[in-house]
Amino acid sequence: MSNTTKLLMIILMVVTAVVVVQLINQPMGEKGAVQQEIIMGKGSLDAFVSESHNYEDRFLFTYTPKNPDSRFNCYMSYEFRENGNALENVSEKFYENVSVENPIVLEFPRKENSTYELKTLIEDKSGINLYKSEIKISPSTIENETEIK
């Protein structure tokens, strides 16, 4: 086995270990809900970090610039669905001076035994995708969050 092959195997093992540790260390949400984030796709700069909070009567989602020194003037489009029915559909809402101190915050009502979906897109003034994601939330757990790049 060549040194290059050994080095690649070691790098693969380290990356795998880091992913496993991150999955183990993910905080549990209310009622044991665990947030899973799957990163896939192309076309987004991944300039934001999302955080979700689940409460008995509502959801709270925050979108903060990944770089703590960044400030954005941006547009956000989102669609929030309950049991497949659109509750809120917003297209290109303008947010000014978005920063760590001034994140984008979305709050939605929550009913017991309902399934929810949230699709979000954040773009800069020129239309470049800064962040794109989809999340599906079942009655007892967050099934899947996909950050689309």
Side-chain angles (χ1 to χ4, degrees), residues 19-57:
V19 169
V20 169
V21 167
Q22 286 178 341
L23 289 173
I24 291 170
N25 289 332
Q26 273 187 316
M28 294 294 283
E30 237 178 76
K31 293 189 179 181
V34 176
Q35 179 174 340
Q36 293 180 335
E37 188 170 320
I38 301 169
I39 299 172
M40 59 185 279
K42 299 245 184 240
S44 180
L45 293 180
D46 191 27
F48 282 80
V49 174
S50 68
E51 187 175 313
S52 60
H53 300 277
N54 303 312
Y55 302 98
E56 285 187 26
D57 63 341

Side-chain angles (χ1 to χ4, degrees), residues 82-133:
E82 177 186 64
N83 297 324
N85 300 314
L87 293 183
E88 220 172 304
N89 193 349
V90 174
S91 181
E92 297 184 348
K93 181 175 180 181
F94 183 69
Y95 289 88
E96 191 170 28
N97 205 22
V98 178
S99 65
V100 171
E101 299 82 21
N102 184 36
I104 296 172
V105 178
L106 302 178
E107 188 171 357
F108 302 104
R110 178 181 189 177
K111 295 179 189 169
E112 197 173 334
N113 299 321
S114 292
T115 299
Y116 297 91
E117 295 172 69
L118 176 63
K119 295 179 182 180
T120 58
L121 172 64
I122 301 173
E123 300 173 303
D124 72 3
K125 287 183 170 184
S126 64
I128 295 173
N129 289 352
L130 300 175
Y131 180 84
K132 188 174 183 179
S133 72

